[in-house]
Amino acid sequence: MLNIAICDDDDLIAHQIESVLHNIGDEENVKIDTDVFYSGNDLVREISSGKKFDLIYMDIQMENGDGITAAKNIRKKDEDVMIIFISSYDRYVMELFRLDVFSFIRKPIDRDSFAQIFLEANQRICSRNHFISFKYKSQEYKVLSKEILYFESKARQINIHVRDGNKYVFNGKLSEVEKGLSSGKVTFLRIHQSYLVNYLLIKSRSKSNVTLINGEVLPISEDRQKEFSKEYGRLLRGEIYV
C-alpha cells in the first residue's frame, strides 16, 4: 500500500491528481491510499503529528504555506518521503534540487508523463529496505522483508525462512501475519493454511505447488488454488488460471 499526500489549493486540480492516481493504481495493480491537503501548512502539521507518507504531490504556489517552504519543513521531519512538485512555472527547478525532490510535473498535467513518473517513483519506493520486526524470548529482531522466502505456521509458532538459509521463530498466528503484511511494500501470497510466500521469490508454479528460487517446493492447498492462481496472474499483469 502506497500512502500518498496531494497538496494543492486548487480543489479541481487536487481531485484530478487523486483520480488519475487511483486509475493508474487500478491499471497497474498498485494499492493506493490518498489524503488531500489544500495548504502546505496543513500537510506539515499532519506530518509533524506523526503521519507517514511514501509520496507527496505538492503544488509550489499556494496561499497558505507555499510548497517550497512546506517541503523544507517536511524534510526536517522525514528525510525519506519522496516529493514530486507540480507547477505551471519552472523557475523553481534549481531550488527543488536542493530539496532532494524526485521529479517536477508541469501543469496542465499530461497523463502519460504523470503515469511514467508515478511508476518510477513506485519502483524506487518498493526497492527501499523494509523490515519485518518481531519479538521472541525477550529479544527484538528485524528481518529484511524482501529477503524472506516464506512464513511457516507450525505448532502455534511462526517460522521465518530467509533467502540466506537462516530461520527465525516467534509466537503468533499466520492469519495475523498475513493481515499485517497486506499493507506492506512486498507482496506475500497465502498458498496453504501453513504457508505465506514471497511472490517475488517464486521461481515457478504449477497447479499444486510453487518452487522458490532456492529450489524448495511448497504445496498449494486445493482450496486455495483458484484464488492463488487468480492473484498470481494479476501480479504478472495477465489473466493466468490453472
Side-chain angles (χ1 to χ4, degrees), residues 16-227:
Q16 178 193 9
I17 295 169
E18 186 176 36
S19 177
V20 171
L21 281 171
H22 283 285
N23 287 338
I24 297 171
D26 290 341
E27 292 170 3
E28 301 293 336
N29 195 38
V30 179
K31 295 179 181 179
I32 292 172
D33 184 61
T34 53
D35 287 301
V36 176
F37 300 87
Y38 299 105
S39 80
N41 292 338
D42 289 343
L43 176 56
V44 171
R45 277 193 292 269
E46 186 74 2
I47 291 174
S48 297
S49 71
K51 178 71 174 182
K52 296 286 290 184
F53 292 104
D54 299 298
L55 179 60
I56 296 172
Y57 286 88
M58 178 102 70
D59 187 17
I60 292 179
Q61 289 187 314
M62 293 180 285
E63 291 184 6
N64 297 315
D66 69 273
I68 291 178
T69 300
K72 289 177 179 178
N73 291 326
I74 288 168
R75 278 284 175 252
K76 295 174 184 177
K77 302 290 183 181
D78 190 336
E79 295 181 354
D80 297 322
V81 62
M82 298 184 70
I83 299 174
I84 295 175
F85 270 113
I86 299 176
S87 178
S88 303
Y89 309 97
D90 57 9
R91 63 176 179 268
Y92 302 99
V93 170
M94 292 308 298
E95 181 72 17
L96 305 189
F97 281 113
R98 299 188 188 100
L99 291 169
D100 188 25
V101 171
F102 179 73
S103 190
F104 175 85
I105 296 174
R106 179 187 289 276
K107 296 178 183 179
I109 295 170
D110 176 77
R111 191 187 186 282
D112 290 341
S113 175
F114 186 99
Q116 181 180 351
I117 291 171
F118 168 76
L119 293 174
E120 290 172 357
N122 179 55
Q123 185 177 24
R124 178 82 62 86
I125 291 167
C126 291
S127 68
R128 290 174 174 173
N129 294 338
H130 295 276
F131 293 88
I132 303 297
S133 60
F134 57 93
K135 292 182 179 180
Y136 186 66
K137 292 184 177 179
S138 300
Q139 294 290 320
E140 294 186 1
Y141 300 87
K142 67 175 184 177
V143 180
L144 198 58
S145 57
K146 68 181 181 181
E147 294 297 313
I148 296 174
L149 287 163
Y150 64 96
F151 294 86
E152 177 188 22
S153 176
K154 192 173 184 180
R156 299 183 180 179
Q157 290 185 325
I158 304 297
N159 295 313
I160 302 179
H161 297 261
V162 187
R163 192 172 182 175
D164 62 8
N166 284 324
K167 185 172 76 172
Y168 302 88
V169 62
F170 65 95
N171 298 319
K173 297 180 179 179
L174 197 58
S175 59
E176 293 176 353
V177 174
E178 182 179 16
K179 183 179 180 180
L181 292 169
S182 63
S183 61
K185 302 300 184 290
V186 178
T187 299
F188 286 83
L189 301 177
R190 188 73 176 266
I191 64 169
H192 191 280
Q193 183 177 356
S194 301
Y195 300 114
L196 187 61
V197 179
N198 185 342
Y199 163 75
L200 296 174
L201 300 185
I202 296 174
K203 181 179 180 181
S204 64
R205 62 115 183 193
S206 68
K207 181 178 180 180
S208 58
N209 61 59
V210 296
T211 301
L212 304 179
I213 61 169
N214 66 343
E216 194 168 356
V217 179
L218 299 176
I220 307 171
S221 61
E222 186 174 350
D223 63 321
R224 296 182 184 274
Q225 288 173 4
K226 183 177 180 180
E227 183 60 29

